[in-house]
Amino acid sequence: MPKVKSTCCYCGVGCGVVIETDDGRITAIAGDADHPANFGRLCSKGATLHLTAGTAGRALYPELRRSRSEPRRRVEWDQALDHLAARVARVILEHGPDAVGFYISGQLLTEDYYVFNKLVKGLIGTNNIDTNSRLCMSSAVAGYKATLGADSVPTCYADIEHAHCLFIAGSNTAYAHPVLFRRIEEARRANPAVKMIVVDPRRTDTAASADLHLPILPGTDVALFNGMLHVMVWEGRLDRAFIEAHTTGFDALKEAVQEYTPKTVAGLCGVPAEDIVQAARWFADSPATLSLYCQGLNQSSHGTDKNAALINLHLATGQIGRPGAGPFSLTGQPNAMGGREVGGMANLLSGHRDLANPAHRAEVARLWGVAEVPATPGKTAVEMFEAARAGEIKVLWIACTNPAQSMPDQALVRAALETAELVVVQEAYRDTETAAYADVLLPAATWGEKEGTVTNSERRISRVRAAVPPPGEARPDWVIAVDFARRLEWRLRFGNRGEHFSTLFPYRAPEEVFNEHRETTRGRDLDITGLSYALLDALGPQQWPFPAGAARGAERLYADGVFPTADGRARFVATRYRTPAESPDARYPFRLNTGRLRDQWHGMSRTGRVARLFSHEEEPLLAMNPEDMARRGLRDGDLARVASRRGAIVVRVKASEEQRPGQVFLPMHWGSRFMAGHGTNALTVSVFDPTSKQPELKHAAVRVEKAALPWQLVAMAVGDVQARLSSLQPLLERFDYASCGLFGHEEEGVILRAAAASAVDTELVAELDRIFGLEPEAGVMSYMDAHRGVAKRVRIANGRLVAARLTGETAAQAWLKEWMTGGMPVDELRRFLLAPVPAAPSGFSPRGRVVCNCLNVSEREIVAAIDAGANLQTLQQTLQCGTQCGSCVPELKRLLIARRQAA
Ligand SMILES: Nc1nc2c(c(=O)[nH]1)N[C@H]1C(S)=C(S)[C@@H](COP(=O)(O)OP(=O)(O)OC[C@H]3O[C@@H](n4cnc5c(=O)[nH]c(N)nc54)[C@H](O)[C@@H]3O)O[C@H]1N2
Ligand SMILES: Nc1nc2c(c(=O)[nH]1)N[C@H]1C(S)=C(S)[C@@H](COP(=O)(O)OP(=O)(O)OC[C@H]3O[C@@H](n4cnc5c(=O)[nH]c(N)nc54)[C@H](O)[C@@H]3O)O[C@H]1N2
Ligand code: SF4
Ligand SMILES: [Mo]
């Protein structure tokens, strides 16, 4: 079988993959043993990439509507792009270039990104181009620049093996960067003296495996870091020589942290003073301290300060520029870093240049061959949608991101999408929340189908390669952008449809774009003038900087203590703790935290098509401390209405000891494709950090109340899952509560769970029956107890249960799902079918939640083995769980500890 080396399209670890194809289709995936990010490993998401490669849900051809009252219709590419060039040109002429906004993505390849940036800033003449990295990495960018002078991650993955203290803050590495976490586990195994500290309000799998977990109150990181510095100053644990030789501003910071005594900070953060002192000592005294951090720091109304306060600690202790030491901001998306390199944001320019700097603007204008780059800063993500809602931005062009799912305050986002005159969505899938708003839908090629480069968390540039052609008429993003740009360039110059020849966008292949981007880095801190596609092909992925003449890239930065500031010194920032934008009060007493699940990726346009990726957490669940639940009369599995000042949704509540009282957690993944309502971000707040403009996605004040929805329905079926899922999705809105998803492993099924205040109309139920193949006909059996309001309907085919609907009494769903996908004999179900009882046939108990996805091992099986005396090793030997991708190993360890404690 032909094999193609490429890069995983999910997280910023940037694992190398080997794609296997057969007859033009992707059939298998393996980790690339030669890739220095993963050495052959993959996590649960990477290892199932081949299962996402079908055409289900894909956008296959351009679609267009000329007015909102009509549906979109299929058109030719020429028609779509000419229409867009004409309309965008008209808007520019009538309202000026700032009436156009582009919202793009850290999941685009560097070449895509480069072209978009040049199109917007160089041709259209506006800086209104921002990306989902604004929701993700912009506080990290601002934090690095404020302290070290440039947006460059000074560390690398190999530092994990050299570190003696790992300080993990606001990062659930075990879930969000699993392959890196495998490396951490290994390093700790090799050297048990390594200390691991985790700062996270929740007891995540990452936190549970730490030597010290600081479950700080949400948003109090700056107080904690300042408090640690206070201890270091007080106890004389600073690196005075480093401060003296390589930094400025320490005195002001020292004064600022004076008031952050361990006692004061313990009060602010809600953790014991001794633990703060302990953390400070381990951090300062270790021969090498590496901090790893992510959205718990970035997604905050003072995210820049959180980043700077942490980097202060590294500078004050000289924990930087040596193997194993330094601040390591983990990037989320596969090419968040590449986007920063090409300056694909409203305030940046190519080659780590700043828009605010006139010399930088002139340099870029010269490199691009345009008269100028506009000086006015562009609108950042939230500002762009605010401007669209206000009617200021008339054209919104969205590529490779799904804001109607992922941006905070969905009421704002959706109002903006409705108000904008022209919404263009460049997407791989046609059924995303945002695609529903598209006036023009442009089908994009995606992973496995496109060529280019991405840069991972450790500044390593890897090639992305196509293994199969795109389906239908889908095209690579850079091709779409270039084709549009040429048409627009002609229109703006000559005012008509033309030959589309171009002086600004002459590219015929992504390599030509890469080479132009490379030129913009010459002499800059990220200089890659020594790199080429040929070199990447020959030598494999490389870290930057990699200037012309270099034999290899730089593993680590700032070893000489010289920083990219005017005086070569790093700067301390005198950070002060401020409370999150929205504090709990009597009306909204809970702090809502949001973040990732282990097996889902963002809005689930890809992972939401693989049944087994649902089995770790099957539906939207609000994690809540059991004490809080008891006080509100809530039991595990009850439905609750969660409301913030901006919106409300109904979800099931899950009792969780990982949550401290007063805090609740909801995964970020759920949007209106998988549940009724506008999803998790119906609740979140769009307030942002004044410097980085990154919104506070991790903190909102909410209220949680039991939802009285006595009418309940569950329907499920095996087979034909993609078609069934897409028929269901538009119906979710018709229930007070609804969620849908997939279940099963090899054999896959679709499930809908719904509830309402009173019985829904029979026509809606009949429609569900059609979708699930439960219309009354041969093979369908029904049971009805009108008196008790219990109804059941099941379909048997070839002696197997293939579909079921339960109304009134739905508890049987748990075991019925397994009965179906397990293909078990139907005879034993007769008693269940003919009586109101929810019980499974005697002797059958459901396996429940699946912990190990690769080997399909459930929590119940694992717990039973632990109770019978198993340890990690014997669990792995007998059940094989955790022996393939390893993503579940942290959870296995946690279960072992929990069961031991219980015993
Ligand atoms: N499985 C999976 N992996 C992913 C992704 C995915 O969708 N799914 N997405 C990728 C992307 S784009 C990103 S950006 C990364 C995100 O990676 P992470 O940032 O590691 O993931 P999150 O779950 O968003 O948030 C991390 C933790 O921050 C904690 N937190 C919340 N508030 C605070 C606070 O005030 N202080 C501190 N110290 N911690 C706090 C949360 O409890 C949470 O456990 O993951 C990447 N990897
Ligand atoms: N509440 C809450 N909200 C959050 C977060 C949080 O922690 N909490 N995290 C935030 C963060 S860090 C991030 S990064 C964002 C992510 O938010 P989004 O960017 O909205 O996430 P995705 O679902 O990955 O969107 C990518 C889209 O691009 C499409 N796509 C895939 N490949 C291609 C391609 O090659 N070309 C094109 N054109 N399209 C393609 C996919 O189908 C998908 O719809 O979410 C943010 N939102
Ligand atoms: S850790 Fe998992 S999601 Fe991230 S790049 Fe590697 S395989 Fe992909
Ligand atoms: Mo992200």
Side-chain angles (χ1 to χ4, degrees), residues 107 132 135-136 295 299 333 400-402 406 426-429 432 444-446 450 477 594 596 601-603 605 668 681 684 697-698:
Q107 292 172 63
N132 59 3
L135 317 181
C136 184
Q295 300 314 330
Q299 286 170 344
Q333 298 177 92
C400 202
T401 178
N402 183 14
S406 58
Q426 189 168 322
E427 243 295 342
Y429 293 89
T432 68
T446 181
K450 54 196 284 191
D477 289 286
T594 64
R596 270 106 192 128
W601 178 259
H602 299 163
S605 65
M668 62 150 310
N681 281 316
T684 49
L697 287 159
K698 291 269 181 278

Side-chain angles (χ1 to χ4, degrees), residues 725-736:
L725 200 54
S726 54
S727 317
L728 272 183
Q729 282 159 340
L731 303 179
L732 299 176
E733 276 311 312
R734 304 202 21 208
F735 300 92
D736 295 321

Side-chain angles (χ1 to χ4, degrees), residues 508-588:
R508 287 157 303 172
E511 186 171 5
E512 294 176 8
V513 182
F514 178 87
N515 292 347
E516 185 176 313
H517 156 60
R518 176 178 66 189
E519 197 46 40
T520 71
T521 69
R522 189 176 293 280
R524 307 284 308 161
D525 72 315
L526 74 165
D527 194 323
I528 53 164
T529 47
L531 279 186
S532 63
Y533 271 24
L535 188 140
L536 290 171
D537 289 342
L539 300 183
Q542 299 296 324
Q543 285 176 286
W544 60 250
F546 198 122
R552 51 178 301 192
E555 197 177 17
R556 214 166 272 114
L557 305 180
Y558 315 136
D560 54 2
V562 177
F563 293 90
T565 53
D567 57 4
R569 287 166 175 267
R571 293 174 296 238
F572 284 105
V573 179
T575 48
R576 286 196 166 74
Y577 165 65
R578 285 172 288 132
T579 51
E582 223 181 37
S583 297
D585 58 20
R587 286 184 63 210
Y588 299 98

Side-chain angles (χ1 to χ4, degrees), residues 11 45 136 169-172 175-177 199-202 204 216 218-219 221 294-297 306 332-333 593-602 669 698-699:
C11 86
K45 297 180 299 301
C136 184
S171 150
N172 186 7
Y175 276 22
H177 298 91
V199 185
D200 195 308
R202 296 189 299 148
T204 58
I216 59 167
D221 302 79
C294 205
Q295 300 314 330
L297 301 197
K306 284 188 178 189
Q333 298 177 92
N593 178 0
T594 64
R596 270 106 192 128
L597 291 176
R598 193 189 72 190
D599 295 346
Q600 293 293 357
W601 178 259
H602 299 163
H669 307 288
K698 291 269 181 278
H699 306 278

Side-chain angles (χ1 to χ4, degrees), residues 620-648:
L621 295 177
L622 182 81
M624 192 170 190
N625 184 279
E627 286 172 32
D628 286 332
M629 286 173 58
R631 237 171 270 132
R632 277 170 174 70
L634 285 163
R635 281 171 314 169
D636 200 42
D638 277 353
L639 292 176
R641 185 170 177 277
V642 190
S644 77
R645 289 186 175 80
R646 294 150 297 277

Side-chain angles (χ1 to χ4, degrees), residues 610-674:
V610 183
R612 72 185 67 166
L613 294 181
F614 283 81
S615 52
H616 193 237
E617 194 146 318
E618 296 184 13
E619 58 178 320
L621 295 177
L622 182 81
M624 192 170 190
N625 184 279
E627 286 172 32
D628 286 332
M629 286 173 58
R631 237 171 270 132
R632 277 170 174 70
L634 285 163
R635 281 171 314 169
D636 200 42
D638 277 353
L639 292 176
R641 185 170 177 277
V642 190
S644 77
R645 289 186 175 80
R646 294 150 297 277
I649 53 175
V650 178
V651 289
R652 217 174 283 286
V653 192
K654 163 177 111 166
S656 165
E657 300 280 357
E658 293 167 24
Q659 295 297 126
R660 292 180 68 168
Q663 301 174 26
V664 290
F665 177 85
L666 197 57
M668 62 150 310
H669 307 288
W670 310 107
S672 43
R673 271 180 67 227
F674 289 97

